[in-house]
């Protein structure tokens, strides 16, 4: 036994003795919760009259024979008439978007979420391996547990692909205890035979970790081809039929109720099926600042499941033990039983998911919606701030699309925004003036550009988009999915340049401007994607940006997200990155000008 | 990527492509099972009319759209009117007893057991770390999957304790992929604060493996104190109440139906409880040659569960997915779904667990109870054969217990065999003659001796036992639990010496003799515990030994097992090893002569 680990070993043994002795009723617990009704997520029962004894960060005992365990050094919480449920777990989210981790934790903690399992795509695309390490640092020694999945980084951007984590880097990450699996990998490129993905999958299986899936739109043979590689979950189904198809394949299905999609209502009909629900879970898949400040976090999702008619015990299981089992961390979290971390929330009744007490790692962290202790604020190092490496300011010329000057128009492949997320291809005649293709806001034909901002900074592709609705001005964002691009959409090139230049000046952010005037903005200095301001300020600034967009004619409810997903291979079907347009059905770059 | 792993990587990628292409219906499967009804252990449904496509050792697809996957190179099994269920899993057994692994596999394979998770205590107590490595070698490249748990080796024997695996050895073992956890550790010494056990538990948790429990007789605080250390299963409950108490603690309960105990009938009443059964499993905890040759293996256990009124789907889940989930190996075994190993058995109907086909790793290994391929016979190296290191032959004097010659009797602490397994303490007046305490077969007071055979060879403790029933002769065995002792019981010292000497000559075995004549015997040359003969021969020889014992007056049904458990700390409550008698309630050595 190396000298250096001896101290930890002794501490470990001491904690084990203490736990045993409290369980035996021989020494005093630190915390006792008495007289409550306890939801046993293992059997599905509610058991009344038991006391939960807690020593240090763990539950020592659940029962009636407390012996000498409740003494003068024991804090006692009387839960008469109340219900104890395990701390909530968000099994699939994106905690590296827009806000710093401590701001998310403020809302998680007060609402009763005690474990977050998150993707870290945004930080990884912008900062690479260092981004992940920094996220893990920010997540360390917090009052609640944070795990990540290692980003598989499927992307349409050749630059991002070139700078993606190597197989060795993922292999190293996947072996860390905070890393529970390989992050979501969009199915189509995987079954098309992406060798790097095959190698990442192999490394993950070797490390006995989970392969998080992303099967949106897949069914039948294609779905099964993807699952056959060892994929163990999916959070993408949008109908009861899709959920059942996946449950039959043995994977865990996490129903989404968050920023990008809200599926719980439609899928709630599944509650009447007579099948095993132990692989069914609920998660947010990322939650926007506005939602957090208005609705809350996982407690809102569980409440909604209850309100939609799920048996409250099942609703709780879907946000606790079912998630823990999926990630094979149920040996230490997910239920109220001896040996598990003391992550418990006390609610007034089974149908009201409002935490009167939130206990995490044995510590009361919130009471009646107010934090008792604060999450640790992480100081992000200078090296990951102000990472927008554009070498110079843009001007209108940078967004010009030149064609032969004798042409009066050209047939152009336009990104057609059919929902706020889904796009398709529209072939549209675009007028030429001064040898340039011209946007026409009156017909809702705007320009869109993707600008690489880190590895090949300034590399730009300009195209057209329909369905945004802006009548004037431009909006740009450096908080973009699955690439390291700035995305800008505008009615004219001058405003586009101003929006991008302002982001360059801010060191990352979202900016909306018109007529040479900044209308609203948020600064995202950390990796170009994260604000260091309080959640409420972020929510307010994002609201102001959306309001400004709406005032400029934007018809979409969440322009920030619409911009963000423009390069993602996750959503059908015409996408854009700094190298051009990609048709996801054909899995290849396509020309802007058709003829 | 190191050069040496490159070949494996290419092979791995190729197999992944093949699986995907079969799932897509684009290339031919190796095996297709058509027209069957498939038990979906994930949802609990039976789905009809689907085809299972298998490529290599994995399932590629389960459904109706087989495309071009069934072609001229595809073997097709028509399962019209039949049911497909996952290959059975024995989640807790002792596969290192008496028979070699290939002999067990003959029975496992033909009955439909495709995964065995076994303790390796016997080989470890006799051969140490080398015994485990040799077992793993014997289990490698077999037609079915064999996993082990690393022996925690709780023992009453000071010699065995001194030579137990070190924490570092266990730590190394536990990280191997064939090792799923730390083997059963008897609860009482653990909660008494065994530091080595605490360290083994810590290493196991670090490696994200399971802590197999052994909670016989524990309840309430003591049970919870043990579980609080992170224990994740138990196979010891003998009543419905005990099972429910454990399920509520979140651990997996494996109901036993095997050599030492048969609990299924009593516990079957649990089927009417309205609780979550996904943590309930069935296992053998070791199965005797006689049982294997007469009843069979796990198929017998599942059949019995069905016959006792368990819903057949639940009975199947308890021997497949529930076990796989417990050990966190459900990503690759336990159900019929794409990406899982093709371990499938075809049965005539849901209530008849008789495998018409057994498929393991995609290969048909048995048809209608006949093996199609044979398990690999393992050649045990000379170094682990003939390991009885007794330096000389024993004689009657070695079993003498001398007292002051003027005494006519002494109050002696006698092992009182109250069932074939459980003992208690009886204080009995034993007559003295020639300065020696004398057995008296007419009153069923026999001598019992434990002889260390490896680390301190010849170290002997002699005591008395009641409840065996032998009227004459002696029986000895080197196949003993939780120590490296030979155990011998006899009506007189001369026969005891002969039995032990014969074991010495055989290099390990079980021997029964009377009047200077060997009545029956079996040679166990491998580690002193394993025969290399066919299962049927072993069964026949053990039967002959039992018959001889019965003929000599033995009243116990399985004298081999009664001898074997004499030193175990697992069963209450007076035990014997080479150093003396141990009272398990007091957890200490106690004197033979009370006054």
């Amino acid at each position: 036994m190396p000298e250096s680990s001896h101290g930890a070993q002794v501490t470990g043994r001491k904690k084990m003795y203490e736990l045993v002795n409290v369980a035996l009723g021989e020494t005093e617990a630190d915390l006792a919760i008495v007289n409550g009704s306890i939801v046993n997520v293992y059997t599905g029962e509610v058991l009344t009259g038991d006391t939960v004894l807690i020593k240090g960060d763990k539950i020592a005992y659940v029962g009636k024979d407390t012996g000498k365990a409740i003494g003068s050094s024991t804090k006692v919480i009387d839960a008469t008439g109340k219900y104890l449920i395990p701390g909530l777990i968000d099994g699939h989210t994106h905690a590296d978007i827009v806000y710093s981790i401590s701001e998310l934790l403020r809302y998680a903690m007060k609402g009763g979420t005690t474990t977050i399992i998150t993707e870290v795509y945004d930080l990884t695309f912008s900062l690479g391996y260092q981004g992940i390490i920094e996220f893990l640092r920010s997540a360390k020694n917090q009052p609640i547990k944070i795990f990540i999945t290692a980003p598989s980084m499927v992307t349409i951007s050749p630059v991002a692909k070139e700078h993606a984590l190597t197989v060795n880097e993922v292999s190293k990450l996947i072996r860390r205890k905070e890393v529970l699996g390989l992050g979501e990998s969009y199915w189509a490129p995987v079954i098309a035979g992406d060798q790097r993905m095959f190698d990442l999958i192999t490394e993950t299986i070797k490390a006995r970790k989970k392969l998080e899936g992303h099967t949106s739109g897949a069914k039948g043979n294609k779905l099964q081809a993807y699952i056959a590689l060892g994929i163990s979950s999916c959070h993408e189904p949008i109908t009861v039929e899709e959920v059942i198809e996946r449950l039959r394949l043995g994977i865990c299905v996490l129903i989404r109720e968050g920023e990008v999609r809200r599926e719980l209502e439609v899928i709630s009909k599944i509650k009447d099926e007579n099948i095993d629900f132990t692989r069914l879970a609920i998660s947010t898949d990322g939650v926007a600042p506005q939602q957090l400040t208005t609705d809350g976090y996982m407690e809102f999702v569980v409440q909604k499941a209850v309100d939609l008619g799920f048996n409250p015990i099942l609703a709780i299981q879907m946000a606790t033990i079912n998630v823990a089992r999926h990630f094979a961390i149920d040996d230490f979290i997910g239920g109220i039983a001896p040996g598990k971390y003391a992550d418990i929330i006390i609610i007034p009744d089974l149908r009201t998911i409002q935490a009167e007490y939130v206990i995490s790692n044995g510590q009361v962290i919130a009471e009646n919606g107010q934090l008792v202790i604060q999450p640790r604020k992480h100081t992000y190092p200078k090296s990951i701030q102000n990472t927008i490496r554009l070498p110079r300011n843009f001007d209108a010329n940078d967004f010009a699309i030149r064609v032969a000057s004798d042409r009066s128009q050209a047939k152009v492949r336009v990104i057609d925004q059919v929902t706020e997320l889904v796009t398709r291809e529209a072939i549209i005649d675009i007028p030429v003036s001064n040898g340039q293709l011209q946007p026409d806001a009156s017909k809702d034909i705007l320009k869109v550009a993707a600008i690489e901002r880190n590895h090949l900074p300034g590399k730009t592709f300009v195209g057209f988009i329909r369905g945004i609705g802006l009548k004037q001005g431009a909006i740009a964002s450096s908080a973009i999915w699955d690439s390291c691009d700035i995305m800008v959409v505008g009615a004219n090139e001058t405003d586009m340049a101003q929006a991008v230049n302002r982001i360059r000046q801010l060191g990352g952010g979202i900016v909306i401007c018109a007529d040479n005037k900044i209308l609203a903005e948020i600064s995202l200095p950390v990796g170009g994607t994260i604000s260091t301001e309080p959640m409420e300020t972020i929510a307010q600034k994002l609201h102001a940006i959306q309001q400004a967009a709406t005032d400029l004619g934007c018809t979409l409810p969440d322009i920030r997200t619409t911009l963000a997903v423009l390069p993602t291979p996750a959503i059908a079907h015409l996408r854009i990155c700094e190298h051009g347009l990609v048709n996801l059905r054909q899995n290849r770059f396509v020309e802007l000008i058709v003829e």
Side-chain angles (χ1 to χ4, degrees), chain A:
Chain A
M1 189 69 50
E3 189 67 19
S4 63
S5 72
H6 184 67
Q9 191 191 12
V10 171
T11 310
R13 282 184 191 156
K14 184 163 169 285
K15 286 177 81 171
M16 291 166 88
Y17 282 120
E18 288 176 351
L19 205 59
V20 164
N21 288 331
V22 170
L24 292 172
E26 289 172 4
T27 57
E28 292 184 7
D30 294 330
L31 177 62
I33 310 171
V34 302
N35 301 325
S37 297
I38 300 175
V39 173
N40 189 306
V41 292
Y42 304 113
T43 58
E45 300 166 297
V46 177
L47 301 169
T48 54
D50 284 344
T51 292
V52 179
L53 296 177
I54 294 163
K55 181 69 192 174
D57 50 12
K58 295 262 179 72
I59 297 167
Y61 175 79
V62 182
K64 295 182 173 58
D65 298 328
T66 55
K68 301 179 210 155
I70 300 181
S72 58
S73 70
T74 309
K75 175 184 167 75
V76 176
I77 296 176
D78 185 348
T80 303
K82 316 285 185 190
Y83 289 78
L84 278 62
I85 69 173
L88 305 178
I89 306 174
D90 188 357
H92 185 81
T93 191
H94 294 265
D96 64 334
I97 52 162
V98 187
Y99 36 70
S100 57
I101 191 74
S102 56
E103 288 302 306
L104 174 61
L105 292 198
R106 283 176 51 218
Y107 283 86
M109 289 163 59
K110 70 185 183 187
T113 299
T114 55
T115 300
I116 294 173
I117 301 158
T118 181
E119 302 278 357
V120 286
Y121 277 89
D122 279 24
L123 277 178
T124 313
F125 273 103
S126 55
L127 299 170
Y129 196 80
Q130 193 198 352
I132 301 174
I133 298 305
E134 201 54 41
F135 184 86
L136 289 174
R137 280 198 194 117
S138 76
K140 209 175 165 179
N141 297 326
Q142 293 286 8
I144 67 168
K145 294 169 197 71
I146 301 163
F147 299 95
I148 70 163
T149 47
S152 54
M153 300 178 77
V154 176
T155 173
I156 63 163
S157 157
V159 181
K161 195 170 287 180
E162 197 186 324
H163 290 86
L165 299 183
T166 65
V167 173
N168 280 343
E169 282 172 330
V170 171
S171 177
K172 201 160 70 179
L173 273 176
I174 207 93
R175 283 167 169 78
R176 291 178 69 134
K177 68 176 190 319
E178 318 94 306
V179 182
L180 298 183
L182 186 68
E184 53 185 344
S185 54
Y186 312 128
W187 64 274
V190 175
I191 68 167
D194 184 316
Q195 293 214 346
R196 176 175 163 278
M197 274 305 303
F198 280 19
D199 293 346
L200 297 185
I201 288 171
T202 303
E203 290 301 308
T204 306
I205 290 171
K206 269 196 225 160
R208 289 170 58 93
K209 299 288 176 81
K210 295 287 160 176
L211 292 160
E212 295 303 285
H214 190 292
T215 70
S216 60
K219 62 180 179 181
N221 299 77
K222 286 177 177 172
L223 174 64
Q224 293 203 35
Y226 179 64
I227 303 299
L229 292 169
I231 303 301
S232 54
S233 78
C234 181
H235 54 277
E236 294 287 325
I238 57 174
T239 64
V240 169
E241 295 66 35
E242 284 190 353
V243 172
I244 291 177
E245 183 178 13
R246 283 154 182 78
L247 291 177
R248 286 177 177 161
L249 298 175
I251 66 171
C252 173
V253 174
L254 302 109
I255 308 170
R256 269 182 303 192
E257 188 71 16
E259 174 174 0
V260 176
R261 304 258 340 179
R262 299 201 161 199
E263 249 94 56
L264 203 40
E265 185 166 356
V266 168
I267 295 178
S268 66
K269 286 194 294 285
I270 201 171
K271 67 185 191 299
D272 303 319
E273 301 281 336
N274 181 26
I275 59 173
D276 184 319
F277 286 132
T278 60
R279 283 171 199 81
L280 192 62
I282 43 184
S283 70
T284 64
D285 197 12
V287 54
Q290 298 93 319
Q291 277 178 283
L292 283 170
T293 52
T294 310
D295 299 333
Y297 190 38
M298 280 299 294
E299 74 282 12
F300 170 80
V301 180
V302 179
Q303 182 69 61
K304 186 156 180 186
V306 172
D307 294 345
L308 287 167
F310 278 97
N311 178 320
I313 293 177
L314 175 58
I316 292 160
Q317 288 170 322
M318 291 197 297
T320 59
I321 190 63
N322 292 7
V323 188
R325 277 179 108 177
H326 164 56
F327 283 104
I329 50 177
D330 55 318
D331 283 342
F332 56 92
I333 66 169
I336 300 176
K340 312 303 179 206
Y341 282 97
D343 297 347
I344 297 170
I345 65 182
I346 303 178
I347 56 176
D349 67 78
L350 270 186
R351 298 185 173 277
T352 308
I353 314 300
Q354 273 174 20
E356 299 184 359
Y357 285 90
V358 180
I359 294 147
S360 174
N361 297 324
Q363 199 178 15
V364 176
I365 61 170
E367 281 186 44
N368 295 313
Q370 299 298 316
L371 293 181
V372 173
I373 62 163
Q374 295 294 325
R376 181 179 65 74
K377 264 188 199 282
H378 182 67
T379 307
Y380 295 94
K382 285 262 180 289
S383 63
I384 66 163
Q385 298 200 34
N386 301 309
T387 59
I388 306 295
R389 302 196 209 288
L390 296 180
R392 58 168 181 81
N393 270 343
F394 274 59
D395 61 34
N397 277 325
D398 290 308
F399 301 103
I401 308 172
R402 288 173 220 284
V403 292
S405 57
D406 59 342
R407 298 188 66 167
S408 64
Q409 62 174 40
K411 279 197 190 308
V412 170
R413 189 173 266 117
V414 172
I415 299 173
D416 196 13
Q417 199 74 48
V418 291
T419 74
E420 57 172 323
L421 302 174
V422 176
T423 62
R424 65 184 171 199
E425 215 174 84
I427 307 297
I428 296 176
D429 289 327
I430 300 284
V432 175
S433 156
N434 300 323
Q436 293 182 25
L437 294 173
Q438 301 292 342
D440 183 350
S442 72
K443 292 181 176 158
D444 194 20
I445 306 287
L446 306 181
K447 271 195 171 168
V448 56
I451 305 163
E452 221 288 334
R453 63 178 172 84
N454 189 3
H455 308 294
L456 201 62
K459 167 75 179 172
T460 302
F461 178 82
V462 188
F464 288 92
I465 191 165
R466 182 170 73 177
I468 302 292
L470 282 189
K471 297 300 173 205
Q472 53 171 316
I475 178 165
S477 171
S478 63
I480 297 300
W481 290 16
D482 301 336
S483 75
C484 193
D485 290 349
I486 289 171
M487 203 61 66
V488 55
V489 167
N492 69 78
E493 295 82 356
T494 309
D495 284 329
M496 289 169 80
Q498 188 186 20
V500 171
N501 292 338
R502 179 62 182 159
I503 286 178
R504 178 171 178 248
Q505 195 173 26
L506 293 172
I510 306 173
V511 173
I512 184 162
C513 61
D515 291 335
N516 223 8
K517 219 178 88 188
I518 305 292
L519 302 174
E521 67 180 21
I522 185 169
S523 157
L524 302 172
V526 178
T529 61
I530 291 178
S531 163
T532 54
E533 294 189 278
M535 187 67 77
E536 299 75 14
T537 309
I538 300 172
Q540 187 193 337
K541 289 189 174 179
L542 293 178
H543 179 76
I545 289 168
Q546 180 62 37
Q547 190 56 53
T550 306
D551 291 348
L552 292 179
C554 174
T555 50
L556 298 172
D558 180 8
I559 185 66
R560 169 174 76 93
T561 302
T562 299
L563 283 188
V565 303
L566 281 176
T568 189
I571 305 174
H573 88 113
L574 186 65
R575 297 287 151 194
I576 181 173
C577 71
E578 76 289 337
H579 270 75
L581 296 171
V582 170
N583 181 315
L584 294 180
R585 286 194 197 154
Q586 300 163 6
N587 195 26
R588 65 176 183 89
F589 280 96
V590 288
E591 291 297 326
L592 173 67
I593 298 174
V594 182
E595 61 173 75

